[in-house]
Amino acid sequence: MVLEGVVVSRDVIRLTPGGIETLNLTLQHQSHQLEGTHQVAVELEINAIAFGEVAKTLDALKTGATLSVKGFLSQKNRYSTMPTLHITQFKMLNES
């Protein structure tokens, strides 16, 4: 899955109990998508998480940065079905 979005909030980078860097952030996405024959305006905010080298690189970003991210969706944890985007790759589109 690929998604473009703006970083609207981010936590401080931290370590998992296993010593792996992890960074939580929130992305805001806006686009127009074709559904059948109609254009649909899409707007959403999604919680995202990155681990390891991706987290360390993302840690330099400030809110307002625009990214194209690649990753997968998973539930937040075993107690919550809220989706979280796990970022496995990203590309800077602009820095704010």
Side-chain angles (χ1 to χ4, degrees):
M1 141 176 234
V2 176
L3 183 80
E4 289 183 8
V6 176
V7 177
V8 293
S9 68
R10 49 156 295 160
D11 291 346
V12 174
I13 196 166
R14 62 180 176 81
L15 294 176
T16 66
I20 299 169
E21 296 84 358
T22 181
L23 181 67
N24 291 292
L25 52 121
T26 302
L27 295 175
Q28 181 181 55
H29 169 80
Q30 294 181 336
S31 67
H32 287 85
Q33 303 295 322
L34 187 61
E35 185 173 34
T37 58
H38 300 298
Q39 286 284 329
V40 177
V42 177
E43 295 184 24
L44 65 92
E45 283 191 3
I46 188 162
N47 293 324
I49 191 166
F51 293 94
E53 290 300 317
V54 175
K56 288 196 288 190
T57 307
L58 282 170
D59 189 42
L61 299 179
K62 296 181 169 74
T63 57
T66 303
L67 309 172
S68 175
V69 300
K70 185 175 182 178
F72 61 93
L73 290 173
S74 180
Q75 63 187 41
K76 183 176 179 179
N77 57 45
R78 64 181 171 180
Y79 305 109
S80 172
T81 58
M82 179 78 74
T84 298
L85 174 60
H86 288 247
I87 300 171
T88 57
Q89 298 175 14
F90 77 95
K91 179 172 69 171
M92 285 295 307
L93 298 180
N94 77 359
E95 291 190 51
S96 207

